[in-house]
């Protein structure tokens, strides 16, 4: 990007925010515009902006001062590209305020559902307030929204399984990892004492598979360094926020882990582990990773990093390879929701992973990550409110993996697109196809929702353009499909005038005949 280009961008941003009278920008208008786009004050990409604004505020002893262009530039210059996209509504959810409203409504509906029981196989989970419910969203452009108890910490439990698998894959690659872990849904409970016919865990999303992933992660390091490594990766995935650790949960998990020990011994008996694996250390490592603590708000960034192919949206750092994420999402899609996985894929159609603490991490690839947390679970061990929230989410938005299949599903919103811009583009495309005589293109555009009577800023309609270019077939098609025969553009010209002016006699005659017919009908109707 050249310096001149940059300056033009800065100028355009300044002009879009400046006060008409003073020709300057109020700092709070800049802040409002940032907030409106869904970007937040802690966003690492905007730190310079906020630091400089704060410095100015201090300088003026808290009295708001308008910003001239040079001052404005100095504040935004490091974030100009992000701000430009945000203010032009070019982030992945262009109308973030509208999206927030919808999510707020869905949250309120899901909150009504008071069914379910809190997991109580360890006292630490049993003691959590069952009424808590939080949801947080982070888009691949780092737009953030949280509601309810999204800042309360909870234990990740099984929602850590995708990360365990990703770390094993990054270190060893697919072939090595899948020499130890299968790729099929087990069709059985997540901690079922069973292995596949090769004596391996069925997949990485159930306990046996996750224990196996743990055995593969940095096995040459000390226990302390292995755990630090996992923390570092979570931190990078969450945009710099380090997860906490619940020692009581870890101790309880270890104490009540007969089934996980049994799984471990069974896998060892089947020689499923990599060579030199220390089983007890592996299990301890597994319990430690289950005992990480996060908030829905922070974990939403991790989910968004998965949605963004492994690049953290708020820092721009690549944490995982895209291929790793692609494989992980595939397992989340088919095996992420315990015994509800098949029905989840059918009804919700998104990769997700849940945990017995009541968390559900859902990934909408290339769009956003969503984390819901509410401790009451259904008989499958999934959060009741979390499931309810996701059901309503995909009823409202076209987020199900197959919603966009040819023919589409009607009645669902697509928050990814700016509805007005789509309509404008369809209108422009229709005029272009009309002037080119592209009848097949016109039919396609009409199916997509283009409207025949839409006019551009100058009042020019598709019929004007077809007439001016002598596109007889197109004009006939339009007239047969109920288009207004005689719309006037801003200079008062009708399509008939355009056809006459350009010497397209056949088109002019056709329009004239239709006009007369219409007038005759009108006269008949009047008389
Ligand atoms: N710590 C639990 C276990 O390994 C994980 C439970 C879960 O969230 O699925 O049994």
């Amino acid at each position: 990007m050249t310096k001149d280009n940059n300056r033009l961008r800065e100028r355009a941003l300044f002009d879009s925010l400046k006060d008409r009278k003073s020709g300057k920008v109020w700092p709070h208008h800049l802040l409002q515009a940032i907030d409106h786009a869904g970007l937040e004050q802690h966003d690492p990409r905007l730190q310079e902006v906020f630091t400089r604004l704060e410095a100015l505020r201090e300088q003026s002893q808290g009295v708001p001062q308008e910003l001239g262009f040079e001052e404005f530039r100095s504040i935004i210059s490091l974030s100009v590209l992000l701000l430009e996209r945000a203010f032009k509504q070019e982030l992945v959810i262009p109308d973030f305020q509208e999206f927030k409203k919808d999510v707020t409504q869905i949250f309120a509906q899901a909150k009504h559902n008071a069914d379910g029981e809190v997991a109580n196989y360890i006292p630490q989970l049993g003691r959590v307030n069952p009424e808590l419910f939080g949801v947080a969203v982070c888009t691949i452009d780092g737009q953030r929204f949280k509601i309810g108890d999204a800042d309360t910490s909870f234990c990740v439990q099984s929602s850590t399984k995708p990360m365990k698998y990703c770390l094993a894959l990054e270190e060893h690659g697919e072939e090595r990892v899948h020499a130890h872990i299968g790729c099929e849904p087990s069709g059985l409970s997540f901690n079922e004492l069973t292995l596949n016919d090769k004596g391996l865990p069925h997949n990485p999303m159930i306990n046996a598979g996750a224990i196996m992933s743990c055995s593969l992660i940095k096995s040459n390091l000390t226990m302390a360094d292995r755990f630090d490594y996992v923390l570092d990766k979570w931190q990078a995935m969450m945009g710099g926020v380090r997860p906490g650790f619940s020692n009581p949960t870890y101790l309880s998990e270890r104490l009540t882990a007969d089934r996980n020990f049994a799984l471990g011994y069974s896998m060892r008996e089947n020689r499923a582990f990599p060579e030199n694996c220390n089983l007890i250390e592996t299990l301890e490592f597994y319990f430690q990773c289950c005992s990480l603590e996060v908030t829905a708000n922070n974990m939403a960034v991790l989910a968004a990093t998965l949605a963004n192919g492994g690049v953290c949206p708020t820092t721009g750092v690549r944490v995982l390879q895209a291929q790793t994420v692609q494989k992980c999402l595939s397992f989340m899609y088919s095996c992420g929701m315990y015994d509800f996985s098949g029905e989840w894929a059918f009804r919700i159609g998104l990769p997700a992973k849940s945990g017995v603490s009541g968390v559900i991490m859902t990934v909408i690839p290339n769009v956003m990550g969503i984390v819901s947390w509410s401790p009451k679970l259904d008989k499958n061990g999934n959060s009741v409110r979390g499931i309810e929230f996701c059901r309503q989410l995909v009823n409202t938005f076209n987020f199900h993996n197959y919603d966009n299949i040819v023919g589409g599903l009607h009645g669902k919103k697509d928050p990814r697109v700016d509805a007005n811009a789509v309509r404008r583009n369809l209108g422009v495309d229709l005029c272009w196809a009309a002037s080119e005589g592209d009848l097949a293109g016109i039919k396609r555009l009409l199916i997509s929702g283009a409207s025949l009577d839409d006019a551009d800023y100058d009042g020019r309609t598709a019929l004007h353009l077809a007439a001016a270019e002598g596109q007889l077939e197109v004009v006939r098609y339009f007239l047969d499909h109920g288009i207004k025969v005689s719309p006037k553009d801003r200079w008062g010209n009708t399509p008939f005038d355009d056809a006459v002016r350009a010497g397209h006699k056949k088109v002019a005659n056709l329009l004239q005949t239709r006009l007369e017919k219409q007038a005759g009908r009108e006269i008949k109707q009047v008389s």
Side-chain angles (χ1 to χ4, degrees):
M1 186 171 48
T2 66
K3 245 185 164 178
D4 282 352
N5 268 343
N6 225 356
R7 216 180 155 81
L8 281 177
R9 289 196 154 94
E10 289 157 357
R11 171 58 75 180
L13 287 184
F14 181 79
D15 288 345
S16 73
L17 292 173
K18 77 181 177 200
D19 186 90
R20 280 221 189 128
K21 275 196 202 140
S22 64
K24 292 181 172 183
V25 171
W26 285 106
H28 68 273
H29 285 160
L30 173 59
L31 292 174
Q32 275 165 5
I34 290 174
D35 180 63
H36 192 82
L39 301 175
E40 64 162 24
Q41 298 228 354
H42 303 293
D43 193 314
R45 299 165 298 175
L46 295 173
Q47 273 332 287
E48 257 331 286
V49 173
F50 293 112
T51 313
R52 290 183 189 187
L53 275 175
E54 185 53 29
L56 275 179
R57 212 179 63 85
E58 273 171 21
Q59 253 176 39
S60 63
Q61 287 160 347
V63 182
Q65 301 279 338
E66 285 182 293
L67 309 167
F69 177 60
E70 288 307 326
E71 231 166 2
F72 179 82
R73 269 195 76 209
S74 73
I75 289 170
I76 59 135
S77 62
L78 289 178
S79 311
V80 68
L81 287 181
L82 175 63
L83 292 178
E84 184 185 38
R85 289 183 58 224
F87 296 173
K88 280 179 152 177
Q89 298 216 320
E90 286 176 359
L91 300 182
V92 65
I93 305 293
D95 192 345
F96 201 67
Q97 298 305 315
E98 183 67 19
F99 179 72
K100 274 164 62 172
K101 261 194 234 155
D102 286 329
V103 173
T104 303
Q105 236 173 48
I106 296 170
F107 176 85
Q109 283 164 7
K111 200 170 176 179
H112 280 136
N113 196 330
D115 295 346
E117 300 290 332
V118 177
N120 57 6
Y121 71 96
I122 54 171
Q124 282 64 31
L125 288 177
R127 282 187 208 127
V128 177
N129 176 355
E131 294 317 318
L132 297 176
F133 181 29
V135 168
V137 172
C138 177
T139 73
I140 56 161
D141 283 321
Q143 296 161 285
R144 311 281 298 268
F145 177 56
K146 62 181 174 181
I147 183 164
D149 303 298
D151 286 321
T152 306
S153 294
F154 58 84
C155 205
V156 295
Q157 292 290 356
S158 272
S159 69
T160 180
K161 287 180 167 107
M163 270 305 278
K164 289 171 178 165
Y165 173 62
C166 285
L167 296 185
L169 259 192
E170 292 266 307
E171 194 177 334
H172 302 286
E174 178 182 337
E175 204 177 326
R176 169 102 204 276
V177 169
H178 285 288
H180 298 279
I181 308 177
C183 295
E184 289 294 331
S186 69
L188 298 163
S189 183
F190 71 104
N191 62 357
E192 192 76 22
L193 195 51
T194 176
L195 299 172
N196 70 14
D197 56 8
K198 293 190 186 127
L200 302 179
H202 286 86
N203 67 67
M205 297 296 132
I206 54 173
N207 282 19
I211 294 170
M212 190 57 78
S213 297
C214 283
S215 77
L216 288 159
I217 299 170
K218 297 289 173 201
S219 59
N220 53 336
L221 298 185
T222 62
M223 287 288 282
D225 284 346
R226 287 171 94 176
F227 188 60
D228 250 342
Y229 172 75
V230 170
L231 285 178
D232 287 346
K233 290 293 176 186
W234 272 75
Q235 179 171 356
M237 294 287 284
M238 297 201 297
V241 179
R242 204 162 177 82
F245 175 66
S246 167
N247 197 38
T249 304
Y250 160 67
L251 294 171
S252 275
E253 287 288 341
R254 198 173 59 162
L255 206 64
T256 55
D258 290 351
R259 176 56 62 93
N260 287 325
F261 274 95
L263 282 170
Y265 283 113
S266 164
M267 288 192 282
R268 192 164 79 176
E269 185 187 25
N270 280 284
R271 299 183 187 288
F273 283 110
E275 254 174 57
N276 303 324
C277 168
N278 180 326
L279 177 58
I280 302 301
E281 278 191 11
T282 297
L283 286 165
E284 304 238 311
F285 187 34
Y286 169 87
F287 305 137
Q288 286 163 4
C289 294
C290 288
S291 307
L292 293 178
E293 273 191 339
V294 295
T295 65
N297 193 33
N298 294 332
M299 194 172 179
V301 182
L302 181 141
T305 304
L306 292 175
N308 200 29
V311 175
C312 178
T314 61
T315 59
V317 173
R318 175 169 289 288
V319 191
L320 299 170
Q321 297 307 307
Q323 295 89 322
T324 301
V325 174
Q326 180 248 24
K327 292 180 177 77
C328 178
L329 293 180
S330 307
F331 282 119
M332 288 168 69
Y333 190 81
S334 57
C335 319
M337 299 295 291
Y338 304 122
D339 291 358
F340 189 66
S341 296
E343 193 162 342
W344 173 274
F346 175 64
R347 296 197 187 284
I348 311 294
L350 290 169
K353 185 72 199 84
S354 75
V356 284
S357 50
V359 53
I360 299 181
M361 168 172 76
T362 307
V363 176
I364 303 164
N366 304 317
V367 183
M368 65 178 69
I370 301 186
V371 171
S372 67
W373 172 65
S374 187
K376 284 197 195 165
L377 309 178
D378 61 18
K379 65 176 184 351
N380 294 311
N382 293 314
S383 164
V384 171
R385 284 174 173 163
I387 296 267
E388 183 75 34
F389 176 85
C390 289
R391 262 189 219 279
Q392 309 224 18
L393 187 80
V394 295
N395 283 342
T396 306
F397 300 113
N398 61 348
F399 284 160
H400 185 297
N401 201 14
Y402 301 116
D403 271 349
N404 296 324
I405 200 145
V406 183
L409 289 186
H410 297 292
K412 291 193 183 188
K413 293 186 184 178
D414 187 349
R416 284 161 277 213
V417 293
D418 174 348
N420 291 330
V422 168
R423 181 138 189 248
R424 276 196 304 275
N425 287 343
L426 283 173
V428 170
D429 289 352
L430 186 70
C431 285
W432 177 253
S435 68
E436 292 285 299
D438 177 5
L439 202 49
I442 288 170
K443 289 177 185 170
R444 269 199 310 276
L445 288 163
L446 291 177
I447 291 171
S448 309
S451 158
L452 280 181
D453 291 319
D454 275 358
D456 70 8
Y457 177 77
D458 291 326
R460 307 281 292 159
T461 64
L463 186 59
H464 278 104
L465 283 131
E469 296 298 328
Q471 304 294 358
L472 187 62
E473 282 315 298
V474 172
V475 171
R476 197 188 310 280
Y477 179 83
F478 282 164
L479 294 174
D480 290 346
H481 284 77
I483 200 169
K484 280 190 203 134
V485 186
S486 206
K488 286 192 176 148
D489 66 18
R490 70 188 289 195
W491 301 278
N493 293 322
T494 64
F496 174 76
D497 299 332
D498 284 2
V500 171
R501 188 169 323 122
H504 300 305
K505 278 194 193 138
K506 285 185 181 163
V507 172
N509 285 340
L510 179 60
L511 285 163
Q512 181 66 17
T513 318
R514 290 296 169 104
L515 270 173
E516 282 167 5
K517 250 195 196 169
Q518 215 178 49
R521 238 197 345 261
E522 275 162 18
I523 290 163
K524 258 188 213 152
Q525 277 165 4
V526 172
S527 59

